[in-house]
Amino acid sequence: MSVEQELKGFIVARYGTVKDFAISIDMPPSTLDGVLKRGVGKANISNVIKICHALNISCDALAYGHIEPCDNAPSTATPKQHTLRSDLLQSFDMLNADGQRKVVEYADDLVFSGRYEKKSDLPALRSVGE
């Protein structure tokens, strides 16, 4: 059974019909039908994320052909960060394998340079005696 067939069964088990699920997540039923027919790997990443979030399943696992519950840890990202991530993933999804490798290499370079390191939102703790 393909992951798309499993996903369809998962949706029907929880929502009754694929159409009802699509309506509940504000997605045109034809778009969801296209994801299930053409494959998750060929779908727009933002649609896949929307589906996964609504079903509380892992986007990563789905990309590898498995349906698994996602980690329920609360997100600390702001709406702006979610938009940036979504834009990045959408662009990444449009690249071929060589382009995707380049993006990962570039991201690693930025991280390891230390220049773009996130600063903690928490105030620094002072040692006893300071």
Side-chain angles (χ1 to χ4, degrees):
M1 178 184 296
S2 72
V3 70
E4 291 78 18
Q5 290 170 326
E6 282 185 63
L7 183 60
K8 183 176 181 178
F10 195 78
I11 291 168
V12 170
R14 283 170 177 67
Y15 288 84
T17 68
V18 172
K19 182 178 179 180
D20 288 342
F21 173 67
I23 292 168
S24 77
I25 63 170
D26 197 31
M27 179 181 288
S30 59
T31 300
L32 181 57
D33 189 55
V35 170
L36 296 173
K37 286 183 179 172
R38 287 189 293 280
V40 171
K42 294 179 182 173
N44 180 304
I45 189 70
S46 59
N47 289 335
V48 173
I49 291 169
K50 188 180 228 184
I51 292 165
C52 290
H53 283 208
L55 295 172
N56 199 31
I57 60 174
S58 166
C59 295
D60 292 337
L62 188 63
Y64 287 103
H66 309 288
I67 296 178
E68 297 175 5
C70 68
D71 180 11
N72 286 328
S75 174
T76 59
T78 65
K80 184 177 179 181
Q81 289 170 322
H82 281 293
T83 300
L84 287 171
R85 287 178 185 162
S86 180
D87 290 349
L88 176 63
L89 289 173
Q90 194 167 11
S91 295
F92 185 84
D93 196 42
M94 290 189 276
L95 297 172
N96 64 20
D98 289 336
Q100 290 177 351
R101 277 191 291 278
K102 287 287 188 188
V103 168
V104 171
E105 287 174 23
Y106 185 60
D108 286 345
D109 287 345
L110 292 173
V111 169
F112 293 124
S113 75
R115 182 174 178 193
Y116 302 99
E117 185 177 340
K118 276 187 181 180
K119 303 297 181 218
S120 174
D121 293 337
L122 300 174
L125 297 176
R126 301 175 76 112
S127 298
V128 175
E130 280 188 29

